[in-house]
Amino acid sequence: MVLFTCPKRYEDFALQRLEHMRIPYLIQPAGRQNLNLYFGRKECLDAIRLIVNRPLNELTPEEDFILGAVLGYDICVQCKRFCRRKGKCCNPC
C-alpha cells in the first residue's frame, strides 16, 4: 500500500500510469492544490475508503494508527505516536 501526496496538476499523469499498469487506486483531496493518491491492493483500498473519510489531520488516534499500519510504517513508531496522541505517553518522546 502506498500513499502519494502530489499537486493536482500531476493527477492525469499519475492515473494514466496506474491504469496502464492495472494498479488499483483511490484519490482524495488534500487541501486546495494537492491530492492524496493511495494505490495498492484492492483490500487495502477498501479499508482506506472506510477509515479515511476526512482530512488526515482530523483522523482519530485509532484511525491514524490503522492507516500507518496499512501503509507499512514502523509499528513501534506507530505505537509511540498513538500513545502520544492519546496523551498516555509512558516514556518522554
Side-chain angles (χ1 to χ4, degrees), residues 5 8 10 23 75 85 87:
T5 301
K8 288 182 181 177
Y10 297 124
I23 298 174
I75 200 68
R85 290 192 66 200

Side-chain angles (χ1 to χ4, degrees), residues 1 3 5 9 11 52 58-61 63 65 88 93:
M1 182 78 198
L3 167 56
T5 301
R9 67 178 177 268
E11 180 177 0
V52 184
E58 295 179 12
L59 295 180
T60 66
E63 292 165 333
F65 180 85
K88 307 234 187 236
C93 301

Side-chain angles (χ1 to χ4, degrees), residues 1-57:
M1 182 78 198
V2 176
L3 167 56
F4 175 56
T5 301
C6 67
K8 288 182 181 177
R9 67 178 177 268
Y10 297 124
E11 180 177 0
D12 290 338
F13 175 76
L15 297 186
Q16 286 175 6
R17 294 287 305 263
L18 290 168
E19 289 172 2
H20 177 73
M21 297 173 74
R22 296 184 179 161
I23 298 174
Y25 63 87
L26 168 65
I27 302 170
Q28 293 181 330
R32 292 184 184 155
Q33 298 178 0
N34 295 321
L35 58 91
N36 285 331
L37 179 59
Y38 298 86
F39 56 96
R41 304 253 332 231
K42 181 187 178 306
E43 298 85 353
C44 295
L45 294 172
D46 290 344
I48 296 300
R49 281 185 187 91
L50 295 172
I51 297 167
V52 184
N53 53 17
R54 58 192 172 284
L56 296 180
N57 65 329

Side-chain angles (χ1 to χ4, degrees), residues 52-82:
V52 184
N53 53 17
R54 58 192 172 284
L56 296 180
N57 65 329
E58 295 179 12
L59 295 180
T60 66
E62 292 81 5
E63 292 165 333
D64 180 79
F65 180 85
I66 293 168
L67 177 60
V70 171
L71 290 170
Y73 296 169
D74 180 297
I75 200 68
C76 291
V77 172
Q78 284 301 110
C79 289
K80 287 179 185 178
R81 177 181 168 92
F82 174 74

